[in-house]
Amino acid sequence: MKRISVPVEDMISALQDFGVSDGRANDITALFEVIDAGDYDALVMPALAFNHSQLPRKTVLITLSSFWVCVVGNTNSFSEQELQALGALRSLYFVSVNLGYQDLVACIARYWEDTSPLHQTESVELWR
């Protein structure tokens, strides 16, 4: 199975878009494996679960959401990776809804709505 990676700078930017501070974004990206992707360094999902990192649950969901947003932004439209990323992001939306993280829910919903021309779906069955 091919490992999905995203540029480090894109991940930091996505975390910041989700309201994570610069310092915290750098701490979070340190949890990922960094690989040389040629023109830039990239992050791949770590083999160990984030629950070993002492991060609060909400921060883990923000981190995962940011990662999948970066995947969407760095893949071709309708590629297998983009479809996987959109599915993962949609799942994270519903997990966030059920855990009551309304600010994260709003961020994911806003991202989904803003990028709807890319994936040609207008909503994630918004529960607002």
Side-chain angles (χ1 to χ4, degrees):
M1 178 181 288
K2 182 178 176 183
R3 296 179 75 191
I4 298 174
S5 65
V6 298
V8 174
E9 293 304 317
D10 289 0
M11 181 65 178
I12 290 171
S13 178
L15 286 165
Q16 292 166 339
D17 289 347
F18 276 94
V20 175
S21 70
D22 293 348
R24 189 72 164 147
N26 288 322
D27 292 343
I28 289 171
T29 57
L31 299 172
F32 285 79
E33 179 183 345
V34 178
I35 60 170
D36 180 2
D39 295 337
Y40 58 90
D41 286 339
L43 301 175
V44 293
M45 194 64 70
L48 295 175
F50 281 109
N51 60 356
H52 297 294
S53 67
Q54 307 288 331
L55 290 176
R57 180 183 297 147
K58 183 176 177 182
T59 303
V60 170
L61 294 175
I62 289 170
T63 300
L64 294 171
S65 298
S66 298
F67 181 83
W68 292 112
V69 162
C70 289
V71 171
V72 172
N74 286 283
T75 58
N76 296 325
S77 292
F78 303 106
S79 67
E80 182 179 338
Q81 284 185 344
E82 182 191 54
L83 295 175
Q84 289 174 350
L86 290 169
L89 193 56
R90 187 172 187 270
S91 296
L92 289 164
Y93 171 85
F94 289 109
V95 168
S96 299
V97 165
N98 286 302
L99 292 173
Y101 300 137
Q102 293 307 314
D103 52 340
L104 179 54
V105 168
C107 282
I108 294 172
R110 187 172 43 255
Y111 170 80
W112 197 275
E113 291 166 358
D114 290 348
T115 60
S116 65
L118 297 175
H119 47 77
Q120 298 179 355
T121 55
E122 292 185 21
S123 70
V124 284
E125 300 168 37
L126 304 178
W127 292 352
R128 290 196 242 171

